[in-house]
Amino acid sequence: MDFNTSNLSRLHELDEDELDLLVFNLGMAELVSYWKASCSPDLIIEAGQLDDWQIDWWKKLYYKGLGEFFHTNHILPEYNSFLNISVRSKKKFDKLHKALTDEVILPIGGGKDSIVSMELLLDAGFKITPYIINFNE
């Protein structure tokens, strides 16, 4: 896998553990795109640990971020039963303590939400680096 970081100067400031955490969280963000292929009620995480608060946070993000998908496919999910996230990993990530900046890595999925998010962040003065997977040049 080629991970071009030439335009992500701050990424070079991360040590290996911090980079692992970043890649894990980017993977968690992209995971929902692949989940849509099966809509399995069971999601097993094997790449790293999540505590109960984190599991709930990701579940809410997926649920709220899938509104258009649910509507288009006539799916009427019930929050408590649409997805059960379990963890089968002993890899624990330490929390990062980094100063916040006006720089944002923005996942771009190609839908309306990506454009709206980008415009809102630009209007608020953020510097955006788009994050796109499987982009065909």
Side-chain angles (χ1 to χ4, degrees):
M1 175 178 181
D2 183 25
F3 192 65
N4 182 352
T5 63
S6 60
N7 64 340
L8 299 175
S9 59
R10 293 196 66 215
L11 195 59
H12 299 291
E13 299 170 13
L14 301 177
D15 65 29
E16 187 175 335
D17 290 337
E18 293 169 333
L19 188 58
D20 282 349
L21 176 59
L22 174 63
V23 170
F24 174 75
N25 282 289
L26 289 172
M28 289 295 297
E30 289 296 326
L31 178 150
V32 71
S33 294
Y34 299 99
W35 175 85
K36 292 188 292 186
S38 69
C39 297
S40 172
D42 295 310
L43 179 60
I44 302 167
I45 306 299
E46 295 183 340
Q49 282 190 359
L50 296 171
D51 62 27
D52 290 341
W53 185 90
Q54 292 167 317
I55 288 171
D56 189 51
W57 189 90
W58 283 108
K59 182 175 177 175
K60 282 179 189 171
L61 181 73
Y62 297 156
Y63 184 78
K64 293 181 181 219
L66 288 166
E68 182 180 357
F69 173 77
F70 292 148
H71 175 76
T72 301
N73 293 287
H74 308 287
I75 300 170
L76 300 171
E78 204 284 312
Y79 178 77
N80 291 323
S81 61
F82 99 101
L83 182 62
N84 176 47
I85 300 174
S86 60
V87 179
R88 291 186 190 163
S89 176
K90 293 184 180 187
K91 181 167 179 63
K92 186 169 174 80
F93 296 102
D94 292 328
K95 291 182 182 178
L96 291 182
H97 300 283
K98 298 284 185 185
L100 297 178
T101 70
D102 64 350
E103 297 174 79
V104 175
I105 297 174
L106 180 64
I108 304 293
K112 296 177 209 89
D113 293 345
S114 298
I115 299 299
V116 171
S117 297
M118 184 178 288
E119 289 299 324
L120 288 171
L121 289 167
L122 286 172
D123 288 349
F126 287 94
K127 179 181 173 187
I128 297 171
T129 300
Y131 171 66
I132 303 168
I133 288 186
N134 295 331
F135 178 75
N136 295 322
E137 295 182 33

